Amino acid sequence: GLDPVTLTVAVVAILLGIGTLDRLRTRVTLQGEEIVIVRGFNRRRLFRGHVDSVHFDKRTGLSLQLDDGLRVDLPNVGHGPTCAASIRAWVERGRRLS
């Protein structure tokens, strides 16, 4: 059998591998009329027209306020204020085109 130290090291290595894979896959992309939010193996698409506002707070991070009142927290994928400004510009560009 395996001794406890080897088993612990193996479990920690597996968890670190899963965490690394999750972090590598996490992203937020603006694709045409959609914002695509990928966290690990979960993917969510939101239509630009449903985004009312974009918020950034140092404590809570980046979030979207949708037109139905729902708040969507975005994963930390870079410099928060810069990401918020980019998403705000994308939302405003969509409003001007409408």
Side-chain angles (χ1 to χ4, degrees):
L2 293 174
D3 63 273
V5 173
T6 304
L7 185 59
T8 301
V9 168
V11 168
V12 168
I14 290 169
L15 292 175
L16 285 173
I18 291 170
T20 300
L21 180 62
D22 179 64
R23 185 69 180 152
L24 289 173
R25 290 188 44 84
T26 298
R27 65 185 179 278
V28 175
T29 54
L30 305 173
Q31 298 178 351
E33 291 297 311
E34 293 181 322
I35 183 168
V36 181
I37 305 158
V38 178
R39 284 189 182 103
F41 298 102
N42 296 321
R43 177 183 310 258
R44 184 172 186 181
R45 295 175 180 272
L46 299 170
F47 179 66
R48 173 171 29 196
H50 293 297
V51 178
D52 258 357
S53 57
V54 181
H55 303 278
F56 175 74
D57 181 272
K58 287 182 182 180
R59 290 179 291 115
T60 59
L62 189 57
S63 65
L64 305 176
Q65 187 72 38
L66 303 182
D67 58 359
D68 62 359
L70 186 67
R71 178 179 163 193
V72 178
D73 293 324
L74 299 180
N76 181 10
V77 293
H79 187 245
T82 304
C83 291
S86 296
I87 296 171
R88 276 189 201 104
W90 174 76
V91 169
E92 288 303 316
R93 190 169 45 252
R95 288 180 182 154
R96 284 192 308 268
L97 296 174
S98 298

